[in-house]
């Protein structure tokens, strides 16, 4: 893994979410420019969105933030599985942000069309570096199986795809997803992993300790080419890192 990797460990998921929210707040204070941030789905980001809505609604200059998603489930935006829907409920509906600053994956479209539409949105909004779009920050979670965004262990080819987005398939439910690919994620200026819970301890220790078994875990291959990577962990998730 990257030598610029930083690891921050907190007692529990709530403390982690609070520290993460503060980090975002600091980021918006230290730069006067537009920030393009890709969000993640999952339970840990939900806590983060609650903290942002409760503590930072009037402190963060939302007009400079553009929200994207690292992955989306192919369902309508009001479906309970929608990552956009979850963000809408816990954050977007509680802050003053312009609709033009929200760039969602249209999960209600057929998956290939949703991916093509999202690629166009990205290409027409983001700057490029070495022919790949540049996000200022990509927030990622990690599943118990080591997946990140919607790059699952049975679809490792998404890490090196020459497309900006791909349609992915959840290994158990068969649910279709649209995911940023590894080349785009690794081209971001900053990648912040948000990982909490005991069920993440094994894959995380394989990744952090560079075990051979980590090779099969998509998260192990997330390594920014030029940017910074920070792991925000809670104690249970970090409990097996030596
Ligand atoms: C999704 C994700 C996914 C998620 C991890 C971790 O839409 O499902 O973006 O990659 O981040 O599964 O989720 P938890 O935070 O719930 O463990």
């Amino acid at each position: 893994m990257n030598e610029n990797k930083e690891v921050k460990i907190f007692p529990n998921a709530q403390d982690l979410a609070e520290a993460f929210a503060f980090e975002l707040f600091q980021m918006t204070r230290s730069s006067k420019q537009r920030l393009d941030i890709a969000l993640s789905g999952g339970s840990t980001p939900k806590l983060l969105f609650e903290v942002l809505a409760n503590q930072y609604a009037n402190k963060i200059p939302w007009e400079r933030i553009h929200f994207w998603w690292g992955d989306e489930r192919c369902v309508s935006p009001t479906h309970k599985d929608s990552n956009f829907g979850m963000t809408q409920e816990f954050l977007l509906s509680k802050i003053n942000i312009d609709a033009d600053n929200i760039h969602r994956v249209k999960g209600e479209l057929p998956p290939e069309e949703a991916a093509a539409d999202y690629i166009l949105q990205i290409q027409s909004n983001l700057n490029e570096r070495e022919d790949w779009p540049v996000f200022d920050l990509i927030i990622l979670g990690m599943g118990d199986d080591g997946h990140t965004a919607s790059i699952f262990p049975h679809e490792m080819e998404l890490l090196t795809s020459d497309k900006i987005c791909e349609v992915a398939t959840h290994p158990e439910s068969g649910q279709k997803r649209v995911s940023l690919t590894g080349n785009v994620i690794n081209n971001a200026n900053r990648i912040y992993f948000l990982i909490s819970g005991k069920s993440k301890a094994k894959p995380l220790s394989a990744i952090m300790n560079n075990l051979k078994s980590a090779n099969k875990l998509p998260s192990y291959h997330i390594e920014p080419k030029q940017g910074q990577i920070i792991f925000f962990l809670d104690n249970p998730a970090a409990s097996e890192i030596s």
Side-chain angles (χ1 to χ4, degrees), residues 39-46 70-73 81-83 139-145 147-152 170 175 177 194-197 199-200:
L39 302 171
S40 152
S43 55
T44 327
K46 192 192 275 185
D71 70 324
E72 181 58 283
R73 291 92 182 265
D81 288 351
S82 167
N83 284 341
I139 299 176
L140 294 173
M142 182 181 81
D144 301 353
D145 60 355
H147 83 259
T148 191
S150 279
I151 307 180
F152 294 96
H170 188 277
Q175 182 184 57
R177 310 258 182 113
L194 258 179
I195 306 177
S196 68
S199 62
K200 313 291 168 68

Side-chain angles (χ1 to χ4, degrees), residues 20-74:
F20 197 99
F22 183 68
E23 185 91 23
L24 284 184
F25 171 58
Q26 295 281 63
M27 198 184 295
T28 61
R29 287 212 301 191
S30 59
S31 150
K32 288 278 164 281
Q33 286 164 10
R34 159 180 171 154
L35 289 171
D36 286 279
I37 301 180
L39 302 171
S40 152
S43 55
T44 327
K46 192 192 275 185
L47 288 177
L48 168 69
F49 299 156
E50 285 179 324
V51 175
L52 287 171
N54 292 335
Q55 299 178 29
Y56 294 94
N58 301 317
K59 291 190 184 147
I60 289 180
W62 299 107
E63 69 284 356
R64 285 200 276 112
I65 312 281
H66 283 248
F67 282 128
W68 302 81
W69 279 264
D71 70 324
E72 181 58 283
R73 291 92 182 265
C74 293

Side-chain angles (χ1 to χ4, degrees), residues 17-232:
E18 299 206 359
F20 197 99
F22 183 68
E23 185 91 23
L24 284 184
F25 171 58
Q26 295 281 63
M27 198 184 295
T28 61
R29 287 212 301 191
S30 59
S31 150
K32 288 278 164 281
Q33 286 164 10
R34 159 180 171 154
L35 289 171
D36 286 279
I37 301 180
L39 302 171
S40 152
S43 55
T44 327
K46 192 192 275 185
L47 288 177
L48 168 69
F49 299 156
E50 285 179 324
V51 175
L52 287 171
N54 292 335
Q55 299 178 29
Y56 294 94
N58 301 317
K59 291 190 184 147
I60 289 180
W62 299 107
E63 69 284 356
R64 285 200 276 112
I65 312 281
H66 283 248
F67 282 128
W68 302 81
W69 279 264
D71 70 324
E72 181 58 283
R73 291 92 182 265
C74 293
V75 295
S76 84
T78 52
H79 190 284
K80 64 168 180 38
D81 288 351
S82 167
N83 284 341
F84 164 79
M86 189 271 277
T87 317
Q88 170 71 17
E89 180 180 351
F90 290 95
L91 178 63
L92 304 177
S93 61
K94 301 188 168 150
I95 58 174
N96 190 8
I97 188 162
D98 202 286
D100 289 346
N101 292 29
I102 296 168
H103 310 270
R104 71 175 183 89
V105 180
K106 298 190 181 112
E108 65 276 27
L109 295 176
E112 293 293 348
E113 277 179 44
D117 172 87
Y118 198 48
I119 290 173
L120 276 182
Q121 291 190 60
I122 292 172
Q123 285 174 327
S124 51
N125 275 278
L126 297 191
N127 294 326
E128 288 191 344
R129 183 166 54 218
E130 291 172 15
D131 297 331
W132 290 98
V134 182
F135 284 91
D136 294 298
L137 168 65
I138 298 185
I139 299 176
L140 294 173
M142 182 181 81
D144 301 353
D145 60 355
H147 83 259
T148 191
S150 279
I151 307 180
F152 294 96
H154 74 289
E155 291 177 335
M156 295 295 271
E157 64 279 10
L158 268 57
L159 286 165
T160 50
S161 163
D162 58 6
K163 294 191 192 150
I164 291 173
C165 297
E166 289 269 14
V167 174
T169 307
H170 188 277
E172 279 130 40
S173 65
Q175 182 184 57
K176 294 291 179 195
R177 310 258 182 113
V178 170
S179 183
L180 295 180
T181 55
N183 280 322
V184 177
I185 296 174
N186 287 336
N187 207 41
N189 286 335
R190 300 177 192 84
I191 300 173
Y192 291 177
F193 267 99
L194 258 179
I195 306 177
S196 68
K198 180 81 184 138
S199 62
K200 313 291 168 68
K202 277 243 154 357
L204 200 55
S205 94
I207 289 170
M208 294 294 175
N209 299 322
N210 281 307
L211 302 187
K212 213 170 152 201
S213 60
N215 256 317
K216 295 185 190 139
L217 309 177
S219 299
Y220 183 61
H221 301 275
I222 299 305
E223 192 163 355
K225 277 191 283 185
Q226 303 198 19
Q228 173 197 31
I229 184 162
I230 308 184
F231 286 79
F232 289 77

